[in-house]
């Protein structure tokens, strides 16, 4: 069976694998290539071509995550990536570079799709807000299983600060915050978001989510909040899912 291919474009590594969508698992072992520096669109496209060429038998669609706003395949923001991405038609660039049908999706939106289909929010109805705590704060709104893309909650301004500058995992590391100190900032962020959107569930992803028992119990929210289940597979699995079924036309 020809499985869709997912690629997760991260700050240090670009990871790809064919994904078995029935199981929500990699169909073959994933390949990882270090992210080129600078990570310009052309340099990254060359890595994608190499990744896809590692699985020559396949012609299935390819999904790719990008840590920025993506509308109809075009990247519109670059908070934590090379500014050359802004205005890049990434669908067209990667389709040309790989010779495959490529669909680009925001990284947090991909994680959101994967968590709702296979992970911590599986089978949950209503509004699920998936957040990723990493270099920035990513967010995905999934309502009754349907993604509403580009929510970008990391850029909410709260108390005069951009939320991700205060509460991303990079802020914890940069400022040497203890978990209780960081949790105070997360409390402000999640409380603000729940007041605005009244979600049914928060899912917390990003690498730090594997230490969730050190900070999630410190939060006092009305909304249930749980750690992500797919961990570092969410980007690849969500990207493949998006390429296969979540693509909005246009
Ligand atoms: C970007 C988002 C991205 C998030 C996590 C933010 O700075 O604006 O598009 O999802 O970081 O990578």
């Amino acid at each position: 069976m020809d499985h869709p291919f997912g690629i997760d474009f991260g700050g240090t590594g670009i990871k790809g694998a064919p994904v078995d969508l029935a199981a929500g698992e990699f169909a073959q072992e994933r390949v990882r290539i270090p992210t080129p520096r600078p990570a310009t669109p052309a340099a990254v496209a060359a890595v994608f071509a190499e990744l896809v060429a590692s699985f020559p038998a396949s012609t299935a669609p390819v999904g790719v995550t990008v840590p920025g706003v993506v509308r109809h395949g075009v990247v519109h923001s670059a908070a934590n990536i090379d500014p050359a991405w802004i205005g890049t038609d990434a669908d067209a660039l990667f389709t040309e570079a790989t010779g495959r049908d490529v669909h680009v999706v925001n990284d947090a939106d991909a994680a959101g799709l994967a968590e709702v289909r296979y992970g911590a929010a599986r089978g949950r109805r209503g509004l699920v807000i998936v957040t990723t705590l990493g270099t920035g704060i990513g967010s995905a709104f999934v309502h009754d299983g349907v993604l509403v893309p580009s929510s970008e909650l990391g850029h909410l301004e709260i108390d005069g600060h951009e939320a991700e500058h205060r509460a991303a995992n990079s802020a914890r590391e940069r400022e040497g915050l203890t978990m209780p100190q960081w949790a105070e900032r997360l409390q402000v962020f999640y409380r603000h978001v729940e007041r605005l959107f009244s979600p049914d569930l928060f899912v917390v992803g990003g690498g730090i989510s594997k230490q969730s028992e050190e900070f999630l119990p410190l939060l006092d929210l009305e909304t249930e909040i749980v750690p992500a289940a797919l961990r570092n597979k969410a980007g690849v699995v969500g990207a493949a899912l998006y390429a296969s079924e979540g693509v909005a036309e246009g």
Side-chain angles (χ1 to χ4, degrees):
M1 164 143 195
D2 199 7
H3 297 286
F5 197 81
I7 297 180
D8 187 13
F9 163 31
T12 55
I14 296 176
K15 295 165 274 182
V19 176
D20 176 351
L21 292 184
E25 294 285 346
F26 298 163
Q28 288 177 55
E29 201 174 328
R30 102 181 172 181
V31 173
R32 181 185 187 280
I33 298 178
T35 304
R37 285 176 197 277
T40 57
V44 169
V47 172
F48 290 171
E50 190 183 334
L51 260 184
V52 168
S54 326
F55 300 85
S58 178
T59 56
V62 178
V64 170
T65 69
V66 169
V69 172
V70 182
R71 277 177 29 231
H72 311 299
V74 178
V75 179
H76 288 277
S77 76
N80 299 304
I81 54 175
D82 195 289
W85 284 92
I86 295 179
T88 297
D89 185 339
D91 270 11
L93 176 72
F94 302 151
T95 296
E96 169 80 24
T98 61
R100 298 270 290 272
D101 179 24
V102 183
H103 300 278
V104 180
V105 58
N106 171 264
D107 56 353
D109 284 342
L113 283 173
E115 289 295 336
V116 169
R117 177 69 69 94
Y118 307 108
R122 187 175 178 166
R124 295 288 294 245
R125 296 186 65 78
L127 178 62
V128 176
I129 299 183
V130 179
T131 53
T132 60
L133 303 174
T135 309
I137 295 181
S139 61
F141 279 28
V142 187
H143 186 261
D144 284 351
V146 177
L147 175 71
V148 181
S150 305
S151 47
E152 293 290 330
L153 297 184
H155 302 292
L156 272 176
E157 189 180 312
I158 305 174
D159 300 335
H161 299 277
E162 211 171 326
E164 71 178 21
H165 292 166
R166 299 271 299 165
N169 189 46
S170 60
R172 181 185 69 81
E173 290 174 345
R174 187 174 60 240
E175 299 182 42
L177 302 177
T178 62
M179 281 296 185
Q181 287 170 332
W182 187 48
E184 280 177 29
R185 297 187 181 190
L186 294 174
Q187 170 70 26
V188 171
F189 172 68
Y190 286 107
R191 188 77 192 104
H192 191 85
V193 172
E194 88 179 343
R195 284 203 177 112
L196 289 177
F197 299 107
S198 304
D200 294 284
L201 178 68
F202 282 123
V203 177
V204 181
I208 192 70
S209 66
K210 59 177 179 292
Q211 284 164 257
S212 65
E213 68 289 348
E214 295 174 41
F215 58 92
L216 286 190
L218 305 179
L219 303 184
D220 178 17
L221 301 166
E222 283 172 16
T223 312
E224 184 185 355
I225 185 163
V226 297
L230 277 98
R231 302 271 163 84
N232 57 4
K233 286 187 180 170
V236 170
V237 171
L241 188 58
Y242 181 80
S244 153
E245 25 184 284
V247 181
E249 291 305 321

